[in-house]
């Protein structure tokens, strides 16, 4: 069996070196992980900004639609309303025509 003899200061130096190397690797892994997380969060921020813009555009569209709905009765006549108004006008014209016809008939009889 072979024995390796080292003085205590060398053993402590090797231990500190190994621990330092291990700590360096851990720090390197943490830095890479943090960098990767920063990249992912940057992508997520872009997506959230895009969603926020879409939300703002949707809100503007909804406001435009509500304005259109508010203005529509001023610029648009429903078919039923038009037919009802037309019927009333035609009935009045028919009554006027009947009165004129009656006046003409009375004028002929006299």
């Amino acid at each position: 069996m072979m024995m390796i003899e080292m003085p205590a200061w060398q053993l402590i130096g090797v231990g500190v070196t190994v621990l330092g190397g291990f700590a360096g690797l851990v720090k390197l892994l943490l830095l890479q992980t943090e960098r990767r997380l920063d990249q992912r969060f940057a992508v997520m921020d872009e997506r959230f900004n895009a969603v926020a813009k879409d939300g703002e555009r949707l809100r503007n569209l909804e406001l435009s639609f509500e304005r259109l709905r508010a203005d529509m009765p001023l610029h648009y006549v429903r078919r039923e309303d038009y037919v009802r108004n037309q019927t009333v006008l035609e009935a009045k014209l028919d009554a006027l025509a009947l009165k004129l016809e009656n006046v003409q008939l009375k004028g002929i009889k006299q």
Side-chain angles (χ1 to χ4, degrees):
M1 182 154 57
M2 179 187 233
M3 301 232 355
I4 300 176
E5 290 185 24
M6 289 176 119
W9 65 271
Q10 283 182 343
L11 187 60
I12 292 173
V14 168
V16 168
T17 303
V18 169
L19 287 175
F22 181 72
L25 286 175
V26 169
K27 187 174 181 178
L28 180 66
L29 285 173
L30 288 175
L31 285 174
Q32 286 179 346
T33 303
E34 185 178 351
R35 206 174 302 134
R36 181 67 179 140
L37 285 174
D38 286 343
Q39 289 174 351
R40 282 188 177 183
F41 283 132
V43 169
M44 290 291 213
D45 285 343
E46 291 173 10
R47 288 181 185 171
F48 287 141
N49 289 336
V51 168
K53 286 180 186 176
D54 287 345
E56 186 62 31
R57 283 186 283 201
L58 181 60
R59 179 164 165 66
N60 289 337
L61 182 64
E62 286 176 348
L63 289 174
S64 297
F65 182 68
E66 289 300 322
R67 272 189 245 122
L68 176 67
R69 285 184 55 196
D71 291 343
M72 193 174 283
L74 301 174
H75 304 292
Y76 175 76
V77 177
R78 290 181 54 160
R79 183 173 184 224
E80 294 85 11
D81 294 337
Y82 177 78
V83 169
R84 183 174 45 246
N85 289 338
Q86 193 66 28
T87 303
V88 168
L89 288 175
E90 288 176 6
K92 287 181 180 181
L93 286 174
D94 288 342
L96 184 62
L98 184 60
K99 285 181 183 179
L100 284 174
E101 193 175 315
N102 286 338
V103 168
Q104 286 176 347
L105 288 175
K106 284 182 184 179
I108 293 175
K109 288 183 183 178
Q110 290 178 359

